[in-house]
Structures are given as structure tokens and as C-alpha cells.
């Protein structure tokens, strides 16, 4: 559960481009040491939200409304030089493409050392020693030799480990991992996620895990925020969300994921899909999910459904499915 | 799915990393090796000029119009004023190389700063700097060079600065184009995410990636700077107190029919040096561009 003062608090975030508004009134909070997964399909605005927190949005994007508070500070109001001290030192970010996120002409040791020299003012020699320690920390085999390798000599998983080493070099309070395992092999995925989870515990970081893969949510996240077309569709503790999804979109996503339960295994029958595409959400006056929703009512097309807290810490933006749920909640409360 | 995603393993960005590979490719090119050796020889001669010919090359030491081979003391003969042509050639190498390299260094520095600023920041800064580059590029560069040298006193320093001023736009355009594509790369976004400032990103992250084309162009710029200096000296706008290959040609021009060796000898020196620099530039281009060399 969220404590009184979360480490990161995003509220009412609206990101505008000249051509559209990909993130609308989005919000979530992250407590210290917590892992929050932000889940959604491509184009739902997850990465933009992450970039907005880092204040690294492309120039054509504008934060039209909202508030991003981090450790008691308003990040959107910080002057750029101060924001630069936050990036990499207090909030670090890992990008989805380990193949291209490392500089091809610098050795990995040099790239890790650069972060340390900037933020911790280490000497070249101390930074190198520390780089080797960090490579060891992220379980890169033979760090003494690897430190002098160029990125093209490393595999994708290794490169992602190097990216993680750079991200945690200055012991940030918050690590944002934007699809950290999308480009990786399935076996490597689990290793990288385990590594992130171990570092989170060892270094006392909070972790925001941005992903489109609900399969990794249950095992590694404390809380899940489901994002659709730039809005928060549902938010709950990971176990609750997986067992009892309320929003039709979350239900669709879960039904579309292959699982080991025999009833849902792909050999037992075809996987269900969500019809249509997220592009249909553009210019919907009502709920953005209406064109794809099996439960849509005429009233859903009129105005966006409000996000309601059906139980403490459990938010759903769907009046259709929560109508019964709220009655239950009241009944249980009595 | 996983297999498909593993495919981009191979060449993501041309690994400009292979310094050794590039060096090997360079050394496999015989023209480049000969050109490099020749240039090393010229450089050695230029450095050793005061040892080979301790006397001022502008002093009259022999009978005028000695033909090459006529007097073993003056193997390349003497000019209309009795100056030793061999001494002039040796000292002229000094001026040519010093001006060529210094003008290149200055021009490339200005070009990198302007081009990197324009390409990295984009927007209005880019617009303003591109206009500036265009002003320089639309003015006939040799004309501007003549005007600049004529305004300032013709001395080695002013000629160097003037040549740098007319060559930097070439480098600036090149660097700008490189930076415009490199600034969109993921590793630049990642660097910003680590809190790096603009200067750190420009010089530590992006510039090393943009170096290969800059290096190639630099060797060609040295060659064209040598040509420009020669042309200036030929027109009598060189440093009057220094002998240069161009001024030797300029002085020999009047005797072209009778004593053509006075024009030919420094002319050959210029042609060979410029040719060597261009060959090196070509070889560097092939060696530093792995895609090109792979196609051969």
C-alpha cells in the first residue's frame, strides 16, 4: 500500500503533441522501495510518461497539465541544471534497446566511469575501479576484462547489464526501466528482471517497470497500473489484479496472454485477442476503450469514465464492471 | 519471436571501434603507404631545413640562372637573383606544411564548434548558424582569401587565419549533418537520462562517433590549404620574408620560356605533396568506412 508521502507522485499528467494528446490525466504513485509496473500496449503512452518524469520529452511535446513530485520536490518546476543533477543520481532510467543505448565508440568501462566522474566527482582511476565493481555487481562475468570491451563485443543481455550498472552507479532512489527486457531472449529476460529486483532490495531503490508483458508483472511487481490510450484504466496490487481484473481491457489482456493453467493453455484452444487497435481510441469523446469493448453501454460513449477507488488502493475506470463490485465492497464493509 | 529479435545482433552501428582493423585496411592500400612515406619524407626535410641549409634561402649565394646539375654545390640550380633553388624547396616545404596544418587545425576547430552547435541544438540556433555558413559558402572563397590577406599584413599568421576562415564552412556543414543524425540515437537519449550536460554529450558522446568523416576531410583540407597558400604567394600576397613554393613559382613565371626549371621544380613539389594528401584522404575514407571496404 502507498504510504502517506510517496517517493514519486504523478498526478493529472497530460502530454500534448501538436498532432494529439497521447497521455491524458494520467497518474500513479510509487512508495520507497516499491516495484510498480506500468502495463499497456505499444502506443498507450507508457514511455512518454517515463520521459516526462525524466523531463526528456521531445521538443514538440508539451506537458499541458499535471504535477510530478519526487521526494518532496516538484520536478516540473525544477530549473534544468538542477534537473540534470536529479537525472542519473536520484532517478535513473534504463531504455528498451540495449543494442543502441550504449555509445559504440567508447569502452563500457569508460561509459560507466563517466557517470561516476560526473555525479560523484571520482578520479579516473577510482572511477575505473568502481566500474569493475559495478560490472561485478550486475553479474557480468570476468569484469576485469569486460571493462575494456566495446559494446559490440557484448551480447544483448550483457549490454543491458552494463546499462543497469550505469543506471545504479550513483545509487538512485528510483529506477525507471522502460521495457528493459523486450529486446532480450526469454531466458535472459528472467535473469535481468531478477537482477533488477535484487538491486532494488540491496540498494533500497524503488522500481518502475514499464512493460507490455503481463506475464512478468505477477512475479516482479508489487503494484500494477494498467494504461490504455494515455489514461489509467486500472490499478491494483499485482496479485489482486491478476486474479480478479475489473476493467474489460485488463481482462482482455489477461485472456490474450498464454498461461500454464491447462484451461488457458494454447493447446486447449486459441488465445483470445482484443479486437481492433489502440488507434481507435483517437478522438473518442467517451471511454477510449469503447470501440473494442465487449461490455460497452451507450452511456460509455458520452464521456470518459471517472477513475474510481473501488477499494483502498484499487482504482478502476469502468462504471460497467464496477457497479456490482462497489455493492460487494459495501456489503463486505458492513 | 525471440529469434527474430536477436537478429539485430550484427552491425547495429558501424563499429568505428576497429582502430586496428582500420589501420590494417589502410596499410593494405599501396598508394596510401607510398603517399604516407612521401609525406613523412617531406615532413622530415621541413623539420631539418635549418640543418640542411643553415643559410637564409632568400640570400643570393650563386650566379643567377644556374641550371640543375650545372654546379654540384647547387644541385637544383639558382634563380634569377642567384638564390639556391634546393634551399628554397627545403624551406618552402616548411611554410607549406606549417600553414597547411595550422590552417586545417584552426578551420576544423571552428567548423566543429559551429557545426556541432548547429546540429546538436537545432531550431533557431541552427537557422542562424546555417545562414552564417551560407554567407561564407556563397562568397567565392579565393576572392575572400585575397581580400582578407590584403587587408591584414601578409604574414604567415594572417595567411593561416585567412585560409582557416575560408575553409571552416566545409567542416561545419559536415559536422552539422553528422550531429543531426547522431543526436537522435538512443545512446544520446540515454546520456541525457544520466544527467549529462550539453557539452559532455557533444564532446564525449557524439563527437567521437563523428570523427571518421572529419579526419578524412581534414587531410583534404591540408592539401587545399597548401594550394591556397601557393596561389597567394604566386600572386605576391605571400609573406615577403619567407620563401614558399608558390612564391618560387611566382618569381620563376617571367622566365618560363628560358628557365622553365624554376617553375617546374616547386610545381612538382606542390603536386606531389597535394597528391599524397589526397591519396591519404581517400585511403582513410575507405579504411574508416567499413561498409565501403566490405563491398570491395
Amino acid at each position: 500500500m502507498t504510504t502517506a508521502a510517496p517517493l514519486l507522485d504523478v498526478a493529472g499528467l497530460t502530454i500534448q503533441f501538436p498532432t494529439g494528446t497521447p497521455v491524458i490525466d494520467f497518474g500513479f504513485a510509487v512508495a520507497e522501495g516499491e516495484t510498480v509496473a506500468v502495463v499497456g500496449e505499444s502506443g498507450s503512452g507508457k514511455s512518454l510518461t517515463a520521459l516526462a518524469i525524466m523531463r526528456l520529452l521531445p521538443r514538440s511535446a508539451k506537458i499541458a497539465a499535471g504535477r510530478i513530485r519526487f521526494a518532496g520536490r516538484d520536478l516540473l518546476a525544477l530549473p534544468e541544471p538542477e534537473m540534470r543533477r536529479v537525472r542519473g543520481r536520484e532517478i535513473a532510467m534504463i531504455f528498451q534497446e540495449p543494442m543502441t543505448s550504449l555509445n559504440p565508440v567508447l569502452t563500457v568501462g569508460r561509459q560507466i566511469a563517466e557517470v561516476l566522474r560526473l555525479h560523484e566527482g571520482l578520479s579516473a582511476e577510482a572511477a575505473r575501479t568502481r566500474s569493475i565493481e559495478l560490472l561485478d555487481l550486475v553479474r557480468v562475468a570476468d569484469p576485469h576484462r569486460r571493462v575494456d570491451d566495446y559494446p559490440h563485443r557484448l551480447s544483448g543481455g550483457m549490454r543491458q547489464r552494463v546499462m543497469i550498472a550505469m543506471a545504479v552507479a550513483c545509487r538512485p532512489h528510483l529506477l525507471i526501466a522502460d521495457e528493459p527486457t523486450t529486446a532480450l531472449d526469454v531466458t535472459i529476460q528472467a535473469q535481468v528482471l531478477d537482477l533488477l529486483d535484487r538491486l532494488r532490495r540491496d540498494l533500497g531503490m524503488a522500481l518502475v517497470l514499464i512493460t507490455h508483458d503481463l506475464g512478468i508483472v505477477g512475479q516482479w511487481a508489487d503494484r500494477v497500473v494498467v494504461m490504455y490510450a494515455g489514461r489509467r484504466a486500472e490499478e491494483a496490487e499485482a496479485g489482486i489484479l491478476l486474479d480478479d481484473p475489473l476493467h474489460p481491457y485488463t481482462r482482455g489482456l489477461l485472456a490474450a496472454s498464454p498461461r500454464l493453467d491447462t484451461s488457458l493453455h494454447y493447446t486447449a484452444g486459441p488465445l483470445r485477442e482484443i479486437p481492433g487497435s489502440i488507434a481507435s481510441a483517437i478522438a473518442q469523446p467517451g471511454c477510449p476503450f469503447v470501440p473494442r469493448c465487449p461490455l460497452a453501454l451507450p452511456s460509455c460513449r458520452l464521456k470518459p469514465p471517472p477513475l474510481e477507488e473501488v477499494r483502498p488502493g484499487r482504482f478502476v475506470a469502468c462504471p460497467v464492471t464496477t457497479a456490482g463490485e462497489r455493492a460487494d465492497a459495501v456489503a463486505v464493509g458492513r | 519471436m525471440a529469434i527474430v529479435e536477436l537478429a539485430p545482433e550484427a552491425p547495429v552501428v558501424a563499429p568505428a571501434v576497429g582502430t586496428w582493423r582500420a589501420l590494417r585496411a589502410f596499410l593494405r592500400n599501396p598508394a596510401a603507404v607510398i603517399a604516407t612515406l612521401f609525406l613523412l619524407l617531406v615532413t622530415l626535410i621541413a623539420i631539418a631545413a635549418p640543418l640542411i641549409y643553415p643559410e637564409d634561402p632568400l640570400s643570393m649565394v650563386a650566379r643567377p640562372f644556374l641550371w640543375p646539375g650545372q654546379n654540384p654545390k647547387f644541385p637544383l640550380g639558382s634563380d634569377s637573383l642567384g638564390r639556391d633553388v634546393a634551399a628554397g624547396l627545403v624551406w618552402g616545404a616548411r611554410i607549406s606544411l606549417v600553414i597547411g596544418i595550422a590552417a586545417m587545425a584552426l578551420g576544423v576547430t571552428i567548423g566543429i564548434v559551429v557545426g556541432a552547435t548547429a546540429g546538436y541544438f537545432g531550431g533557431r540556433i541552427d537557422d542562424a548558424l546555417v545562414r552564417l555558413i551560407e554567407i561564407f559558402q556563397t562568397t567565392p572563397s579565393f576572392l575572400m582569401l585575397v581580400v582578407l590577406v590584403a587587408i591584414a599584413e601578409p604574414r604567415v599568421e594572417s595567411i593561416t587565419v585567412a585560409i582557416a576562415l575560408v575553409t571552416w564552412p566545409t567542416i561545419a556543414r559536415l559536422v552539422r549533418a553528422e550531429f543531426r543524425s547522431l543526436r537522435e540515437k538512443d545512446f544520446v537519449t540515454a546520456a541525457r537520462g544520466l544527467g549529462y550536460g550539453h557539452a559532455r554529450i557533444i564532446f564525449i558522446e557524439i563527437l567521437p562517433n563523428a570523427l571518421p568523416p572529419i579526419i578524412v576531410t581534414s587531410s583534404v583540407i591540408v592539401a587545399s590549404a597548401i594550394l591556397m597558400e601557393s596561389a597567394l604567394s604566386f600572386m605576391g600576397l605571400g609573406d615577403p620574408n619567407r620563401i614558399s613554393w608558390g612564391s618560387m613559382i611566382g618569381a620563376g613565371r617571367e622566365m618560363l620560356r628560358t628557365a622553365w626549371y624554376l617553375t617546374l621544380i616547386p610545381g612538382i613539389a606542390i603536386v606531389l605533396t597535394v597528391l599524397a594528401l589526397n591519396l591519404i584522404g581517400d585511403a582513410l575514407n575507405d579504411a574508416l568506412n567499413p561498409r565501403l571496404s566490405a563491398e570491395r
Side-chain angles (χ1 to χ4, degrees):
Chain A
M1 277 307 111
T2 41
T3 48
L7 179 67
L8 175 75
D9 186 10
V10 179
L13 184 68
T14 301
I15 302 174
Q16 267 180 349
F17 278 90
T19 51
T21 312
V23 175
I24 305 160
D25 194 24
F26 183 72
F28 70 107
V30 183
E32 303 230 14
E34 188 187 28
T35 301
V36 174
V38 178
V39 182
E41 65 195 274
S42 310
S44 58
K46 321 176 290 272
S47 297
L48 279 176
T49 305
L51 290 176
I53 296 169
M54 299 295 281
R55 291 236 322 248
L56 290 176
L57 284 173
R59 224 170 304 185
S60 51
K62 202 177 90 206
I63 295 178
R67 182 172 56 99
I68 299 174
R69 291 188 70 81
F70 173 76
R73 271 170 303 172
D74 182 359
L75 287 190
L76 295 179
L78 279 191
E80 181 60 24
E82 245 173 88
M83 190 61 213
R84 237 178 265 151
R85 281 196 291 275
V86 171
R87 288 186 205 123
R89 192 157 71 170
E90 293 176 59
I91 310 179
M93 185 161 170
I94 304 169
F95 294 86
Q96 75 173 273
E97 221 12 285
M99 294 295 170
T100 52
S101 295
L102 286 169
N103 194 329
V105 301
L106 302 178
T107 63
V108 298
R110 174 81 211 283
Q111 296 188 54
I112 302 173
E114 193 64 31
V115 193
L116 294 163
R117 298 185 68 176
L118 169 68
H119 287 301
E120 316 238 300
L122 294 189
S123 69
E125 209 173 314
R128 186 185 157 84
T129 314
R130 187 96 179 84
S131 304
I132 297 173
E133 289 169 15
L134 280 161
L135 284 176
D136 191 43
L137 180 74
V138 297
R139 302 271 160 89
V140 167
D142 207 357
H144 286 274
R145 235 160 29 101
R146 288 300 185 195
V147 74
D148 292 319
D149 268 345
Y150 287 94
H152 74 276
R153 311 217 356 152
L154 306 180
S155 66
M158 287 272 228
R159 285 187 219 186
Q160 196 59 291
R161 284 166 197 269
V162 173
M163 294 301 300
I164 293 172
M166 288 168 75
V168 302
C170 304
R171 297 173 157 267
H173 300 300
L174 175 68
L175 179 62
I176 303 176
D178 185 1
E179 310 230 3
T181 58
T182 307
L184 303 178
D185 212 321
V186 181
T187 48
I188 311 291
Q189 273 188 14
Q191 290 177 13
V192 167
L193 288 165
D194 274 334
L195 171 67
L196 283 174
D197 199 49
R198 183 171 57 82
L199 290 173
R200 176 187 65 82
R201 269 179 283 120
D202 293 354
L203 304 177
M205 302 182 294
L207 183 61
V208 173
L209 201 57
I210 295 175
T211 177
H212 61 239
D213 187 353
L214 269 176
I216 68 177
V217 162
Q219 196 175 344
W220 281 283
D222 298 322
R223 231 147 30 81
V224 184
V225 180
V226 178
M227 197 168 181
Y228 186 77
R231 296 168 192 270
R232 183 160 42 160
E234 182 162 4
E235 177 179 339
E237 276 178 50
I240 295 176
L241 185 107
L242 293 180
D243 287 343
D244 179 25
L246 284 182
H247 197 282
Y249 177 60
T250 320
R251 289 178 180 173
L253 277 182
L254 280 170
S257 320
R259 279 192 287 179
L260 291 175
D261 331 1
T262 39
S263 63
L264 282 166
H265 194 262
Y266 70 88
T267 50
L271 278 172
R272 273 206 283 150
E273 57 175 310
I274 306 178
S277 89
I278 197 165
S280 63
I282 294 170
Q284 278 295 327
C287 173
F289 193 58
V290 158
R292 308 170 72 182
C293 184
L295 306 174
L297 299 178
S299 61
C300 295
R301 299 178 188 277
L302 300 178
K303 63 178 177 54
L307 188 76
E308 288 194 62
E309 188 163 13
V310 293
R311 254 177 263 140
R314 173 104 215 235
F315 298 87
V316 183
C318 182
V320 181
T321 53
T322 53
E325 185 70 19
R326 247 171 318 167
D328 289 355
V330 174
V332 169
R334 288 281 143 85
Chain B
M1 181 195 106
I3 293 164
V4 176
E5 306 231 314
L6 276 181
E9 181 81 33
V12 179
V13 182
V17 176
T19 317
W20 285 111
R21 190 202 54 74
L23 190 64
R24 272 202 307 276
F26 184 83
L27 291 178
R28 262 201 300 272
N29 184 336
V33 174
I34 294 170
T36 310
L37 289 178
F38 176 77
L39 215 59
L40 278 177
L41 180 74
V42 174
T43 313
L44 270 179
I45 289 174
I47 292 170
L51 301 175
I52 307 173
Y53 290 102
E55 215 167 321
D56 185 351
L58 287 174
S59 57
M60 296 170 247
V61 291
R63 184 164 65 79
F65 296 116
L66 272 178
W67 277 69
Q70 229 177 350
N71 182 340
K73 258 192 86 186
F74 306 104
L76 296 179
S78 66
D79 71 358
S80 58
L81 295 173
R83 294 176 295 206
D84 186 348
V85 173
L89 207 61
V90 166
W91 283 87
R94 228 172 143 84
I95 292 299
S96 288
L97 287 185
V98 163
I99 289 187
I101 291 167
M104 179 274 288
L106 188 61
V108 167
T109 308
I110 302 173
I112 286 178
V113 170
V114 174
T117 311
Y120 177 78
F121 290 104
R124 271 189 215 151
I125 300 176
D126 186 39
D127 288 342
L129 290 175
V130 166
R131 288 297 99 75
L132 183 69
I133 293 171
E134 279 169 357
I135 290 173
F136 275 84
Q137 288 217 315
T138 47
T139 319
S141 62
F142 193 73
L143 206 64
M144 184 154 69
L145 183 62
V146 169
V147 171
L148 284 171
V149 174
I151 294 171
E153 221 172 298
R155 289 175 45 207
V156 173
E157 295 83 356
S158 60
I159 294 171
T160 305
V161 171
I163 294 177
L165 280 180
V166 303
T167 48
W168 72 266
T170 316
I171 288 282
R173 283 181 56 133
L174 178 80
V175 173
R176 173 177 172 271
E178 287 289 319
F179 269 65
R180 274 177 77 89
S181 72
L182 286 167
R183 72 167 181 189
E184 308 294 341
K185 296 278 184 213
D186 289 341
F187 68 82
V188 174
T189 316
R192 292 174 64 207
L194 289 167
Y196 292 2
H198 297 309
R200 203 175 277 260
I201 293 178
I202 289 176
F203 291 109
I204 294 179
E205 298 287 333
I206 303 185
L207 188 57
N209 284 282
L211 273 184
I214 297 177
I215 292 171
V216 170
T217 313
S218 298
S219 69
V220 178
I221 283 185
V222 176
S224 66
I226 290 176
L227 283 178
M228 284 189 218
E229 189 279 329
S230 301
L232 280 177
S233 300
F234 175 80
M235 294 172 65
L237 281 168
D239 190 329
N241 300 317
R242 306 285 185 95
I243 194 154
S244 94
W245 294 341
S247 69
M248 288 169 76
I249 296 177
R253 177 173 50 116
E254 318 235 317
M255 286 72 75
L256 194 55
R257 289 211 207 168
T258 50
W260 45 264
Y261 66 92
L262 290 178
T263 327
L264 183 70
I265 292 170
I268 289 176
I270 293 174
V271 167
L272 289 181
T273 309
V274 169
L275 183 67
L277 282 162
N278 277 311
L279 286 175
I280 290 173
D282 283 351
L284 281 175
N285 196 16
D286 292 347
L288 292 173
N289 190 338
R291 229 167 300 149
L292 258 185
S293 49
E295 278 167 17
R296 304 213 157 169

